[in-house]
Amino acid sequence: PIQLTDLSALNSLEEIHGFLAVVDVSHNLTSLSFLPKLRSIHGSFDSYRNFYSVYISRNTALQSLDLNGAVQVRFGNVAVLNNSQLCTNANWGPLIDVSYSQVPGFTAGGNRPSASCGLQCDSNCNSSSVGCWGVGPRSCIYCSAREYDEECVATCNYDAVSGVCKACDPNCAGDRCSGPTGANCTQG
């Protein structure tokens, strides 16, 4: 059997060409944080139960999905069912590519209600339509403003040419800034 420590070997996985099924794991699997770089699940006609690209069900210790960023589902459906400790408000619906799925859908039920566990998306998350995977700026599905070092931030040293945030001046505490010089350091 696979041990939880073996799952760390998947931490650089960006794409799954097939399906993700996490079913009946009852011991110590509290999150899917071992998949921090996962961005795409392609699915196939041979998906889990011939229907699902993502199927997460009956995991008694699972508390949070803790994925980083948007995970696009290219083909197939998503079900997150009967995980009694799972606290999530993620809406997979907008993450499913409708151009490839014949009947795209997201099914959830039997999980812990997000209101009962106090789950609030971080203020740097754009959570209006899809929610978040968990707590903190690394658990946002989409960012409100910018992303730097796999974390949603309100401001950064944004390079309009490349469209990405760059490292701040070395004198900026916590690598927080709104531009390239020490005069652009911000409190974080």
Side-chain angles (χ1 to χ4, degrees):
I2 295 177
Q3 300 298 314
L4 291 177
T5 54
D6 298 333
L7 296 176
S8 65
L10 301 174
N11 68 1
S12 63
L13 184 69
E14 294 179 12
E15 295 184 57
I16 294 175
H17 293 271
F19 60 87
L20 171 65
V22 183
V23 182
D24 289 324
V25 179
S26 59
H27 60 284
N28 299 328
L29 180 67
T30 58
S31 77
L32 303 184
S33 61
F34 59 90
L35 296 170
K37 303 221 182 274
L38 184 62
R39 294 294 174 262
S40 181
I41 301 171
H42 291 272
S44 68
F45 287 107
D46 297 324
S47 292
Y48 187 76
R49 295 188 176 185
N50 295 320
F51 197 65
Y52 297 103
S53 292
V54 178
Y55 193 83
I56 301 170
S57 182
R58 299 185 312 268
N59 300 288
T60 57
L62 189 63
Q63 298 172 11
S64 173
L65 295 178
D66 273 343
L67 298 168
N68 289 355
V71 178
Q72 297 294 316
V73 178
R74 302 286 180 211
F75 182 86
N77 296 294
V78 175
V80 182
L81 301 166
N82 303 314
N83 303 286
S84 60
Q85 299 302 309
L86 178 60
C87 185
T88 182
N89 65 7
N91 174 10
W92 287 77
L95 303 174
I96 300 171
D97 188 337
V98 296
S99 62
Y100 293 106
S101 296
Q102 293 178 2
V103 185
F106 167 59
T107 305
N111 304 311
R112 187 174 173 193
S114 59
S116 75
C117 57
L119 177 62
Q120 296 274 331
C121 293
D122 189 86
S123 62
N124 290 311
C125 296
N126 179 354
S127 56
S128 60
S129 64
V130 293
C132 55
W133 300 120
V135 176
R138 289 188 180 270
S139 294
C140 301
I141 296 175
Y142 293 117
C143 297
S144 294
R146 308 265 186 244
E147 181 180 331
Y148 177 69
D149 195 25
E150 298 182 359
E151 182 174 312
C152 292
V153 296
T155 62
C156 68
N157 178 15
Y158 184 71
D159 180 359
V161 175
S162 66
V164 297
C165 294
K166 294 190 173 187
C168 295
D169 183 276
N171 295 317
C172 294
D175 208 23
R176 301 282 187 223
C177 63
S178 60
T181 69
N184 299 117
C185 296
T186 60
Q187 299 286 329

